[in-house]
Amino acid sequence: MSYSQHSTDMGTHPEMREMRERLERAGSSGQGIALEGLIALSGLYAAISPWVVHFSGQPNITVNNLIVGITIGLIGLGMALAPQRMMRMGWLLVPLGIWLIISPWIVTATHSARAGIIWNNVVLGLIVTVLGLAAMGLTVARRPRH
C-alpha cells in the first residue's frame, strides 16, 4: 500500500505569508516600535530595580527580579530585531508581569517584603502585563469588513 507524499511543512501554507507580513507591519509601525522600546526599558528596569530600590537583605527577590528583567528585556530586544518572529512572544509578558506582582510574597524567605519592594514589583508587574496585552493586540488580525 502506498501513501501519497504530502508536505507537512507549515511554511508552505498559504496563510503563513499573510501572517508574516501582518506581524512585520505591526512590528514596524509607530505603535510597534514604541511598544518594543517600552518592553526593553521595562526589562532593563526590572533587572536593575533591586539596586535602585535597595532590596538589601533580600537576595532571593534580587535574583528573581534580575532574571525576570533580563527575560523581559530579551523579549523586547527580540521584538525589535525580528518582529515577524518575536511579536507572537508578547503573550509571555503577561505571566511574567503577574509573576512580578506576586513574587514579593512568594520568593522572599519570610514570605513578606518591605513596602518599597512590594510597590516596585506591583507597579512594574502591572506595566509589563499591560505591555504584554498591547503586544498581543498588535498581532490580532484586523481584517477589513466587506
Side-chain angles (χ1 to χ4, degrees), residues 49-96:
S49 67
W51 294 277
V52 173
V53 182
H54 303 291
F55 286 16
S56 57
Q58 301 284 340
N60 295 342
I61 194 80
T62 299
V63 172
N64 175 72
N65 276 32
L66 181 63
I67 292 170
V68 172
I70 290 170
T71 304
I72 293 168
L74 288 174
I75 291 171
L77 184 63
M79 290 170 85
L81 296 176
Q84 69 276 15
R85 292 184 182 186
M86 291 297 292
M87 275 309 254
R88 292 175 285 182
M89 298 297 283
W91 69 270
L92 283 174
L93 296 171
V94 175
L96 287 171

Side-chain angles (χ1 to χ4, degrees), residues 11-78:
T12 60
H13 195 277
E15 292 181 353
M16 287 301 288
R17 184 176 344 132
E18 176 190 343
M19 184 177 66
R20 283 189 186 116
E21 290 171 359
R22 180 172 34 89
L23 291 173
E24 181 65 37
R25 279 192 312 271
S28 62
S29 70
Q31 293 173 338
I33 293 169
L35 188 64
E36 294 157 359
L38 289 172
I39 291 168
L41 287 175
S42 297
L44 176 65
Y45 177 75
I48 67 169
S49 67
W51 294 277
V52 173
V53 182
H54 303 291
F55 286 16
S56 57
Q58 301 284 340
N60 295 342
I61 194 80
T62 299
V63 172
N64 175 72
N65 276 32
L66 181 63
I67 292 170
V68 172
I70 290 170
T71 304
I72 293 168
L74 288 174
I75 291 171
L77 184 63

Side-chain angles (χ1 to χ4, degrees), residues 86-141:
M86 291 297 292
M87 275 309 254
R88 292 175 285 182
M89 298 297 283
W91 69 270
L92 283 174
L93 296 171
V94 175
L96 287 171
I98 293 169
W99 175 252
L100 280 171
I101 293 169
I102 64 174
S103 64
W105 293 281
I106 296 174
V107 175
T108 54
T110 60
H111 299 295
S112 64
R114 293 189 336 264
I117 296 171
I118 293 171
W119 276 106
N120 178 72
N121 276 28
V122 168
V123 170
L124 185 59
L126 288 172
I127 290 169
V128 169
T129 302
V130 168
L131 290 173
L133 291 172
M136 290 184 341
L138 281 179
T139 61
V140 174

